[in-house]
Amino acid sequence: MEHDIYSTEGLYKIVEKTDISATISKHVIYAPLIAAKAKAGHFVILRSRPGGERIPVTLVDWSPENGTVTVIIQAIGKSTSEMNALKAGDSFSDVAGPLGTPVEIKKYGTVLGVGGGVGIAELYPIARAFKQAGNEVVSILGARSKDLLILEAEMASLGRVLVTTDDGSAGKKGLVTDAMKELYAAGEKLDAIFTIGPIIMMKFVAEASRPHATPTFASLNPVMLDGTGMCGGCRVEIGGKPKFACVDGPMFDAHQTNFDALMKRTAAYREQEKESLEKYGKDHNCRIGLH
Amino acid sequence: MENKPKKPTPSIKQNLGRHQDAVARRSNFDEVAMGFGLEEAVTEAARCLGCKTKPCELACPVNVKIPEFVDLVHKEDLGAAASKIFETSLFPAICGRVCPQETYCEAACVLKDKFGPVSIGRLERFTADYARKGGLIKPPPCAPDTGKKVACVGSGPTSLAVAAELRKLGHAVTVFEALHEFGGVLCYGIPTFRLPREVVRFEVDMLRKMGVRFLKNVMVGKSITIEELKKDFDIIYIGSGAGLPTPMNAPGEDLVGVYSSNEFLTRVNLMEAYKFPVSDTPYYVGKRTVVVGGGNTAMDSARCAMRLGPENVTLLYRRTRAEMPARAEEVENAMEEGIKFEFLTAPVELEGDEKGRLKRVKCIRMALGEPDASGRRKPVPQKGSEFYIEADSLVVAIGSSPNPVIQQTTPGLAANKWGGIIIDEATAKTSLEGVYAGGDVVRGGATVLLAMKDGKAAARAIHEKLSAKGN
């Protein structure tokens, strides 16, 4: 089907929505201009409604034929909760993109993907692109518990999958880095590592691969505002130099990344985020995310 | 208004307009300058001598027919006064508010030295507001469709000017905006207390009624490239602005609480963070805010910060008040609102706590030395003058340079070493056939008025090109 990329007809409509778990939903959104340009590693900025916050989310999938892009959103604050409350047939008010610099896909040999939590969704298209480029793909998927583990079957279709959970309800009890160490100990040849997940996890993935000098890349998720390189709020320190995650990233050399600085900067609005979510919870009699 | 003076009354004192009370306005984002009422406007207009040489009009970057429109205000024919302004300027409600008239038309007014100039800017604003609120503004007629298509990249003042001019001439115009609101710096940069959003929306809606197509959320260079646009459009005008903040390069700039003015103003203005938690985007100022810089953006940042309720806001500028690039009126407004100015002062290091949050700013005093390349006396650090200012947040407002994304993604598009797109000054043409540029992406951080002026000039050149035989 031909799509008029300059038309606003039906733009940003949710053509399909699937709840993956209590807090994680998959949205397939009509956005033909973005679908036509998307590559692995690109992200979009979403707003659920006029006045809403701008939320960056890495693309999970896209279809130039259908004119759609797919994102997976975990409800952790007010804005993401509002997004997941949308239904098929509703529309986001804004989807901007594709943004960022796509991942350079090339033949490494064996590529290890390490995904944590909802980061697995963002890892999937990258792992798939590496598979299509002729790499062998091995994945380590980490989650708090079995019900928060997503896309295991999809990842398994690309190659071997190792699962770790905090409580042992799926795979091995432990951390993704435990599984990494086992791979290294078994003498597996790993030619590149791509990791997406909580900052603390990515930091330890980088530390685990550093002694082996395996090229390692992490997808960074700093506080972001415009996503166009204008505000500098998403600045991260790579090799001692400032980079903007929105235009230079979000994927960077993990061995050069200052994860500690990133952790501090992502905590900048924690109190305000809590305040906003609590107000939302009260207004909507809802307990999502209020642990 | 029965006894309206027929002769000019230049010796009446210049009316500088009323302002919202300085204390009251510190807790709201409503417009500070309140604008003339009809009687005030007519009385002020009566001061104009109607000089035949029109020094004011010649000094205006977009050559507004000032003596003629002021005369029509004097005659209380406001519809005609508005039409007269619209002949050369499409956005008087915006220009009347943000143009530095004191350096253009009002500086040229012959009454300036003796009685104070005619308040031309305030009269322009009054006329535009009166016409808008009275429904007197109709979309201007557009020439029959030429079949030519023009893409404007960015929806700031320069693109809006291009869109308006070319649409009137019958060309089909599409405006691409990366953000979710149209207006560029008029939305994300200039605070509502200087430029209410309904004024910007009205102008965009007017262009829509003329048939201009507006597409949001499209970041040219990422969502679609200039080369791809060239397949669908005859002409591309790049007006993507000065979107890259200049860092101080001082240690500690990554601390939490340290903002570029672009981020701070975008949060507050575009995302309406000042309404948080009713709005969704948060801000952080803490108890003490420091703003670094001496331009209009620094004034806007300091005045926004003051309205967010900290105990104090301090502005650091490395030269003296006389060298400040900001409009004098904005500096006065900022001072009235209680912002503390530390002149001849520069930050040298930002210090944080264990959580990585800004705690204090190490500053140094400066003295003015020999003139530098800009002709201004160069600030020289005074050894041993270091001191500290406690601060929870700091806004860096020392300039911005052109957003580099389009230059980086468009092969063959020539740019200078500051990242500005290089154009032929007479035609606004870039190094690529059919691609034009203007505004801050060419100039670096300049003014709304110069951006509009660039747009008007480029539109003339583009129209000539599109009208040429064989096109």
Side-chain angles (χ1 to χ4, degrees):
Chain A
M1 185 183 152
E2 279 287 303
H3 300 276
D4 179 359
I5 56 171
Y6 304 118
S7 168
T8 53
E9 182 81 37
L11 209 52
Y12 315 142
K13 188 183 227 181
I14 303 170
V15 295
E16 192 188 318
K17 190 199 166 198
T18 318
D19 292 330
I20 297 175
S21 75
T23 55
I24 302 173
S25 301
K26 181 169 96 170
H27 302 255
V28 181
I29 307 165
Y30 185 68
L33 177 69
I34 304 172
K37 288 288 278 191
K39 288 194 169 71
H42 269 141
F43 69 94
V44 291
I45 285 189
L46 305 169
R47 289 207 313 159
S48 58
R49 56 173 171 77
E53 203 178 359
R54 294 172 67 88
I55 301 291
V57 185
T58 300
L59 291 175
V60 174
D61 207 351
W62 49 90
S63 165
E65 297 74 32
N66 298 333
T68 57
V69 295
T70 302
V71 293
I72 290 181
I73 297 168
Q74 181 171 24
I76 44 173
K78 176 188 175 186
S79 299
T80 46
S81 299
E82 278 189 347
M83 286 175 181
N84 280 357
L86 295 173
K87 301 177 185 67
D90 293 344
S91 292
F92 283 84
S93 67
D94 298 278
V95 184
L99 299 171
T101 299
V103 173
E104 192 193 348
I105 302 297
K106 61 179 184 183
K107 182 99 184 256
Y108 281 102
T110 300
V111 172
L112 174 67
V114 184
V118 77
I120 297 167
E122 305 175 357
L123 181 63
Y124 170 64
I126 295 166
R128 185 182 56 189
F130 278 116
K131 176 77 178 174
Q132 283 163 356
N135 294 280
E136 192 190 327
V137 172
V138 180
S139 308
I140 300 173
L141 309 181
R144 272 211 306 261
S145 58
K146 188 180 180 184
D147 56 316
L148 290 169
L149 179 68
I150 58 170
L151 298 186
E152 190 186 353
E154 285 84 349
M155 293 300 290
S157 73
L158 303 174
R160 191 153 46 111
V161 171
L162 305 165
V163 172
T164 63
T165 50
D166 294 356
D167 61 2
S169 56
K172 279 195 177 172
K173 182 174 175 173
L175 303 171
V176 292
T177 43
D178 298 335
M180 268 179 82
K181 283 169 192 159
E182 280 175 30
L183 289 177
Y184 277 123
E188 297 249 4
K189 189 173 93 50
L190 302 175
D191 300 300
I193 299 173
F194 287 81
T195 181
I196 308 180
I199 302 168
I200 187 79
M201 181 200 91
M202 296 191 287
K203 175 183 169 172
F204 283 105
V205 167
E207 288 319 310
S209 71
R210 196 189 300 273
H212 304 275
T214 315
T216 302
F217 302 89
S219 181
L220 308 185
N221 56 344
V223 173
M224 202 176 276
L225 186 58
D226 61 285
T228 66
M230 187 178 82
C231 86
C234 67
R235 58 192 183 270
V236 291
E237 191 188 317
I238 310 294
K241 294 204 171 65
K243 294 277 180 190
F244 290 181
C246 68
V247 289
D248 303 322
M251 194 70 83
F252 291 100
D253 183 340
H255 293 153
Q256 300 283 320
T257 298
N258 185 339
F259 286 104
D260 294 337
L262 178 62
M263 264 184 272
K264 284 176 180 164
R265 285 186 61 79
T266 51
Y269 297 103
R270 200 134 291 164
E271 279 171 32
Q272 288 95 324
E273 283 158 1
K274 198 168 155 234
E275 180 189 354
S276 187
L277 183 62
E278 277 168 6
K279 183 174 182 300
Y280 177 76
K282 263 185 217 144
D283 294 352
H284 293 75
N285 193 25
C286 136
R287 294 182 45 79
I288 282 180
L290 296 175
H291 299 297
Chain B
M1 308 309 292
E2 296 300 314
N3 303 316
K4 186 175 63 186
K6 294 205 174 71
K7 282 187 177 172
T9 50
S11 60
I12 294 175
K13 193 168 173 278
Q14 180 192 10
N15 188 341
L16 291 165
R18 285 164 291 129
H19 288 75
Q20 214 197 128
D21 175 73
V23 176
R25 72 188 193 232
R26 270 163 53 170
S27 55
N28 69 53
F29 278 76
D30 299 338
E31 196 164 14
V32 168
M34 294 166 88
F36 284 155
L38 179 63
E39 197 168 333
E40 287 170 292
V42 173
T43 305
E44 184 64 17
R47 298 182 60 232
C48 176
L49 297 175
C51 306
K52 292 279 177 290
T53 52
K54 303 178 182 179
C56 48
E57 186 173 321
L58 295 173
C60 171
V62 291
N63 304 114
V64 170
K65 296 180 174 170
I66 294 167
E68 291 171 69
F69 103 76
V70 172
D71 182 54
L72 288 163
V73 174
H74 184 186
K75 290 173 177 154
E76 291 186 42
D77 191 350
L78 291 157
S83 300
K84 188 54 72 181
I85 300 175
F86 277 113
E87 284 179 24
T88 59
S89 170
L90 278 149
F91 310 109
I94 296 173
C95 299
R97 288 177 164 85
V98 303
C99 178
Q101 292 97 5
E102 69 278 7
T103 62
Y104 296 122
C105 55
E106 292 179 13
C109 180
V110 297
L111 300 182
K112 182 175 161 243
D113 293 334
K114 201 155 183 195
F115 306 112
V118 174
S119 288
I120 299 165
R122 289 173 184 83
L123 287 173
E124 182 185 29
R125 171 188 160 176
F126 167 77
T127 306
D129 286 355
Y130 189 93
R132 182 179 76 250
K133 287 174 187 161
L136 304 176
I137 304 175
K138 302 277 179 289
C142 298
D145 285 347
T146 60
K148 302 294 182 193
K149 293 183 184 171
V150 178
C152 292
V153 178
S155 68
T158 199
S159 277
L160 294 182
V162 168
E165 298 291 335
L166 291 178
R167 183 66 204 111
K168 277 199 290 187
L169 294 163
H171 306 301
V173 181
T174 303
V175 176
F176 293 91
E177 168 57 50
L179 297 172
H180 57 261
E181 289 267 0
F182 299 106
V185 73
L186 306 174
C187 284
Y188 72 74
I190 299 178
T192 53
F193 55 80
R194 286 214 289 135
L195 180 63
R197 289 304 171 261
E198 70 254 27
V199 172
V200 181
R201 290 197 187 111
F202 180 86
E203 305 293 5
V204 169
D205 281 343
M206 186 61 64
L207 291 178
R208 272 207 189 95
K209 285 179 191 157
M210 289 163 65
V212 174
R213 178 165 65 165
F214 283 88
L215 296 179
K216 62 179 181 173
N217 298 323
V218 181
M219 188 186 176
V220 174
K222 293 275 185 187
S223 307
I224 192 162
T225 63
I226 297 288
E227 281 175 320
E228 286 163 330
L229 284 175
K230 281 182 86 171
K231 290 178 203 150
D232 294 319
F233 295 90
D234 300 293
I235 297 287
I236 294 153
Y237 181 76
I238 304 173
S240 50
L244 189 70
T246 306
M248 300 192 299
N249 293 320
E253 213 164 344
D254 283 342
L255 291 167
V256 171
V258 181
Y259 292 95
S260 73
S261 54
N262 284 0
E263 179 180 3
F264 186 69
L265 291 174
T266 300
R267 278 185 186 275
V268 175
N269 298 322
L270 178 73
M271 305 310 295
E272 301 185 321
Y274 64 90
K275 295 178 185 165
F276 185 87
V278 173
S279 68
D280 294 336
T281 303
Y283 66 88
Y284 176 75
V285 292
K287 287 183 180 166
R288 294 149 302 196
T289 301
V290 169
V291 176
V292 182
N296 288 318
T297 308
M299 297 308 131
D300 286 345
S301 300
R303 298 175 69 199
C304 280
M306 186 52 105
R307 285 160 170 75
L308 298 174
E311 284 169 10
N312 60 62
V313 177
T314 306
L315 186 134
L316 311 182
Y317 180 55
R318 59 189 186 145
R319 291 184 168 98
T320 71
R321 185 173 180 179
E323 286 84 19
M324 275 196 147
R327 290 183 70 183
E329 184 184 338
E330 302 305 336
V331 178
E332 279 158 31
N333 282 335
M335 286 180 167
E336 271 178 28
E337 286 163 18
I339 289 152
K340 187 178 171 202
F341 283 64
E342 289 279 2
F343 294 107
L344 291 167
T345 303
V348 286
E349 189 175 349
L350 312 181
E351 295 181 4
D353 64 14
E354 69 287 350
K355 285 183 177 166
R357 288 183 176 269
L358 178 70
K359 233 182 127 196
R360 59 180 190 166
V361 184
K362 186 179 180 183
C363 302
I364 192 163
R365 297 289 186 194
M366 315 292 267
L368 291 183
E370 295 299 308
D372 64 8
S374 73
R376 291 183 301 177
R377 291 175 65 191
K378 197 180 161 161
V380 183
Q382 300 300 291
K383 261 190 194 156
S385 68
E386 288 87 348
F387 67 103
Y388 288 91
I389 296 178
E390 303 288 314
D392 306 298
S393 57
L394 180 141
V395 182
V396 182
I398 57 172
S400 56
S401 55
N403 191 321
V405 170
I406 289 175
Q407 294 85 314
Q408 287 164 359
T409 53
T410 311
L413 184 65
N416 62 31
K417 62 178 172 179
W418 300 280
I421 295 176
I422 297 171
I423 58 165
D424 173 69
E425 295 231 347
T427 61
K429 272 182 71 169
T430 69
S431 56
L432 291 178
E433 185 59 30
V435 181
Y436 295 70
D440 279 0
V441 77
V442 170
R443 295 174 178 270
T447 64
V448 169
L449 249 283
L450 291 174
M452 284 188 181
K453 183 188 176 193
D454 287 353
K456 279 191 70 170
R460 271 195 298 276
I462 291 168
H463 180 60
E464 262 175 44
K465 162 93 176 160
L466 290 175
S467 314
K469 275 188 184 163
N471 246 309

